[in-house]
Amino acid sequence: MIRKSSIFIDVDSSSVRVAMTENNELSEFYIESSSKKKLVGNIYKGVVVNVLQGMQAAFVDIGLEKNAFLYVGDMIIDRSELDNHVINIPEKLTITPGDEIMVQVVKDEVGTKGARISSNISLPGRSIVMTPTLDFLGVSRKIADERVREKLTKIVQSHAPKGCGYIIRTVAPEISKKEIICEIKKLQKLWETINQNFKKARTRELIYTEGDLISRTVRDMLNTNIEQIVTNSKEAYDTISEHLVKSLAVCADKLELYSGKTDMFKAYGIRQKIDMLLDRKVWLKSGGYLIIDKTEALTVIDVNSGKYTGNGTLLEDTVFEVNLEAAAEIARQIRLRNIGGIIVIDFIDMELIEHKERLLEVLEEHVSHDRTKCKILGMTRLGLVELTRKKVRNDISSYIQDECTMCHGSGRILSVASVANKIRTDLMDLFATLNPPAVTITVNPEITAKIFSGFFSKDCETIWSSKRIYMISDEHLSREIYRIQVEKDRILSLPDNARLVY
């Protein structure tokens, strides 16, 4: 089925947001903040800090907070996406600490890990990618027509300079021969400029950065399936219009400048879909649902039948229908959320081998539409489906969410009883050491209610019988936060809501 797509580009003073819909469903969403540094694709003049010969890797200082990690075989492109992907990449590092080298960021910083870099430079264009440090010619696997592949290969071979590598991209068949040749020359000139900048640059200096999100959208997302491109920015409109005039892939009449007074994403029904983007629970149309949980090592997706009970069919058939619907939605969610790395899917258990095989086929079909490489590794004996998705940039949650200051990413906080127990322990330590005549405890009202329900009654009647313990409720404190104050004076100045525990 042909997927008709629309692209919406929302520009404001602090960021650019790009949303792509396919058949009216949100399929891709990107944010680029003007205050946050973009790393992937950047080229630096780095200095080697440490070489790990046993791993054929090194740590390189490129001017970021953490040293970047260089591995000899890394490239910004995924070689498995190429049909003839035998590339002669050096197998050994020939660098020593203190060397100044040209490197390109291939993966963002993630958590405590620094950026991942490569000395195998890649310069992407719209129809081709130039790899000036590697001599080979590759063709995207997604170009299936052998005659088209041969035609494109001849064009590049006859016009590309010797000693450089080129990859023919999926969109190349939609682009004219003249534009492909022009792009080869443009990339060659860019590489000469980068080399000149490298020679003049100081160490740890940025010498090249890819275009902003708008230009990358034009380069990577525009094709003949795009029905409309809408933006609320005149500057973005002019930039895109210039690209469209030069390209036959997308007609200029599909470009529209949004002039409405309401938020553009809201006007096109995208805002609500973005607001639901990071929900842990994702409902399926049938009544089933997905639970998506992320850990540091992998993402786990659980499929549940929920409210769906079938249409009087057998249990096996009901489960199979939910799983098929879930497969399509999972492929959309991992693309939309930009989930990378290892993904484990726990589909509802099925008995029939043919159902399991068909499920994997459907999942494969849907992930094939993803512009980022996905690989399905199969189903384990426990019925878990394993797949990997190339991780380049951080997932969308890192751009629009901060870690919770209360739960620190766990999604859970201490129960009321647990917090009351912590207060009890602190009081026992306090009375055993300082033995003050009185203490005041400022807590969340939930904790106050728990304590006055008799939680401390036994202690107050025995070991704390001579102590004065005052509770002060503060609704502005979160449940886990409390303050115990030692009172040395006999006469206390307390707020009106202070209550004596015993």
Side-chain angles (χ1 to χ4, degrees), residues 39 59 62 64-69 105 107-117:
L39 293 179
F59 286 100
I62 58 174
L64 303 179
E65 187 177 339
K66 304 183 192 78
N67 288 335
F69 182 75
V105 178
K107 287 186 182 179
D108 265 327
E109 296 176 305
V110 180
T112 58
K113 297 177 182 176
R116 191 148 176 168
I117 56 176

Side-chain angles (χ1 to χ4, degrees), residues 477-494:
L477 286 180
S478 69
R479 182 192 293 176
E480 293 187 345
I481 304 298
Y482 57 87
R483 295 191 294 269
I484 299 178
Q485 176 71 37
V486 172
E487 304 292 349
K488 296 181 180 179
D489 296 331
R490 285 289 177 183
I491 301 174
L492 305 180
S493 177
L494 299 172

Side-chain angles (χ1 to χ4, degrees), residues 119-159:
S119 56
N120 304 310
I121 308 298
S122 299
L123 303 175
R126 182 157 156 66
S127 59
I128 57 172
V129 176
M130 180 184 186
T131 57
T133 57
L134 301 170
D135 187 4
F136 77 103
L137 179 59
V139 184
S140 169
R141 284 183 183 274
K142 293 183 180 180
I143 303 176
D145 190 316
E146 197 56 47
R147 287 176 298 178
V148 173
R149 295 168 63 85
E150 189 176 336
K151 175 186 171 184
L152 292 169
T153 300
K154 286 180 179 178
I155 292 173
V156 175
Q157 283 178 332
S158 57
H159 292 89

Side-chain angles (χ1 to χ4, degrees), residues 48 50-59 69-72 93 95:
V48 179
N50 187 23
V51 178
L52 312 173
Q53 290 293 354
M55 297 173 61
Q56 287 305 310
F59 286 100
F69 182 75
L70 170 69
Y71 175 65
V72 67
L93 289 176
I95 55 176

Side-chain angles (χ1 to χ4, degrees), residues 8-11 228-234 237 255-269:
F8 301 89
I9 303 173
D10 178 58
V11 182
Q228 64 175 159
I229 309 157
V230 186
T231 180
N232 61 355
S233 163
K234 182 63 168 65
Y237 179 92
L255 180 62
E256 176 187 335
L257 179 62
Y258 178 74
S259 56
K261 293 183 179 180
T262 59
D263 176 75
M264 182 182 74
F265 279 176
K266 187 174 182 180
Y268 282 94

Side-chain angles (χ1 to χ4, degrees), residues 405-424:
T405 55
M406 299 301 129
C407 71
H408 302 290
S410 72
R412 305 179 72 84
I413 60 173
L414 290 175
S415 67
V416 172
S418 295
V419 177
N421 263 317
K422 285 186 69 177
I423 293 174
R424 180 182 179 275

Side-chain angles (χ1 to χ4, degrees), residues 41-48 60-62 70 93 95 99-105 117-123 132-133 190-208:
N42 287 356
I43 299 176
Y44 294 85
K45 184 172 186 176
V47 57
V48 179
V60 181
D61 185 356
I62 58 174
L70 170 69
L93 289 176
I95 55 176
D99 286 353
E100 296 177 353
I101 59 173
M102 184 189 298
V103 291
Q104 184 173 35
V105 178
I117 56 176
S118 172
S119 56
N120 304 310
I121 308 298
S122 299
L123 303 175
T133 57
L190 173 61
W191 175 235
E192 291 171 0
T193 302
I194 290 171
N195 268 316
Q196 291 169 4
N197 291 343
F198 176 78
K199 292 173 184 175
K200 293 184 289 184
R202 294 168 296 180
T203 54
R204 306 171 187 84
E205 188 175 339
L206 173 66
I207 58 176
Y208 167 77

Side-chain angles (χ1 to χ4, degrees), residues 1-8 19-28 221-230 250 254 335 369 371:
M1 181 179 71
I2 297 175
R3 298 181 168 215
K4 290 299 181 182
S5 306
S6 298
I7 296 174
F8 301 89
M20 183 178 186
T21 62
E22 291 181 345
N23 301 331
N24 295 319
E25 284 287 348
L26 187 63
S27 60
E28 296 184 40
M221 295 172 70
L222 294 191
N223 56 54
T224 51
N225 291 333
I226 301 296
E227 288 191 316
Q228 64 175 159
I229 309 157
V230 186
V250 181
K254 295 182 178 181
R335 181 181 174 192
H369 300 294
R371 292 186 298 114

